[in-house]
């Protein structure tokens, strides 16, 4: 069910009470020529998707379940840097929101684009791109941010590994305010940094990158290898050391799983 549309702040917003997945709703709008900076926001997703086709819990009113449409004119080689900028921006905005209520929040980034607070995830990003031949047509950036959940509102599986803005700051937040702060900051940064200043994205990302020099498991289908995270390269791919050699992995290849010491 659709609530409405608006063009506040030069974004084209489409608000829904419930959709399957905001990424899918936006993909349909994109195929029908929706302009760049179109945004789909839903109170609730019945089929929210995470990376690797995992389910993404999207309860009504408790988070930002939104997707943003970009139509970059630049080389698709920079695609991965867009994802890193989304994560950088979300981390900065969350810290600023916390500071605005005199709370300190230290965010970290798990490659490629999960935002964590301490050892818990607060935000996940699902970028999906469409190509015509070699040419990039559009990118849909799906953002799932936990905002108003209390710990007991997460499922049992998620309770040890998930957090929300409310848990971290001790107060509830209007979803639209958080979304607007994120979108406006992202748009300003994106316009400033692409395509010629992308070095800043890498620098900012490295400052917040988690598990540097730590051993992680890399999962590929049924294969798991153990490797040490070293850095990201200029394309934003992950550099790891495995068997005495440096290996560069892209986000479609492997899942990175921290090795937890309990
Ligand atoms: C992940 O960390 O696995 C990515 C989660 C992305 C969830 C968001 S919620 C809005 C958008 N619509 C979806 O179906 N998924 C993304």
């Amino acid at each position: 069910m659709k609530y409405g549309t608006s063009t506040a702040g030069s974004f084209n917003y489409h608000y829904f009470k419930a959709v399957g997945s905001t990424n899918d709703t936006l993909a349909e709008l994109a195929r029908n020529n929706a302009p760049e900076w179109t945004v789909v926001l839903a109170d609730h997703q019945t089929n929210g998707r995470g990376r690797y086709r995992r389910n993404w819990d999207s309860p009504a009113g408790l988070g930002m379940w939104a997707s943003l449409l970009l139509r970059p004119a630049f080389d698709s080689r920079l695609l991965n840097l867009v994802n890193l900028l989304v994560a950088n921006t979300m981390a900065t905005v969350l810290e600023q929101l916390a500071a605005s209520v005199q709370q300190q929040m230290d965010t970290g980034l798990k490659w490629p684009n999960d935002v964590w607070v301490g050892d818990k995830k607060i935000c996940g990003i699902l970028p999906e791109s469409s190509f015509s031949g070699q040419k990039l047509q559009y990118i849909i950036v799906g953002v799932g941010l936990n905002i108003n959940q209390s710990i007991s509102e997460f499922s049992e599986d998620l309770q040890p590994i998930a957090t929300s803005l409310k848990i971290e700051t001790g107060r509830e937040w209007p979803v639209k305010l958080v979304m607007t702060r994120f979108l406006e900051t992202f748009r300003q940064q994106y316009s400033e940094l692409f395509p010629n200043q992308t070095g800043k994205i890498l620098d900012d990302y490295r400052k917040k990158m988690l598990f540097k020099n730590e051993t992680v498991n890399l999962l590929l289908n049924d294969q798991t290898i153990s490797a040490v995270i070293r850095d990201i390269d200029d394309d934003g791919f992950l550099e790891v050391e495995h068997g005495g050699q440096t290996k560069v992995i892209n986000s479609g290849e492997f899942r990175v799983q921290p090795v937890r010491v309990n």
Side-chain angles (χ1 to χ4, degrees), residues 21-23 45 48-51 56 66 114 121 124-126 142-144:
S21 156
T22 56
N23 272 29
Q45 297 184 112
R49 269 186 284 119
R51 288 161 53 81
W56 182 264
D114 283 359
K121 176 164 165 174
I125 294 159
L126 182 67
V143 181

Side-chain angles (χ1 to χ4, degrees), residues 67-79:
S67 303
L68 166 68
L69 180 63
L70 298 173
R71 294 186 179 276
F74 50 71
D75 192 310
S76 59
R77 189 165 162 260
L78 297 178
L79 198 63

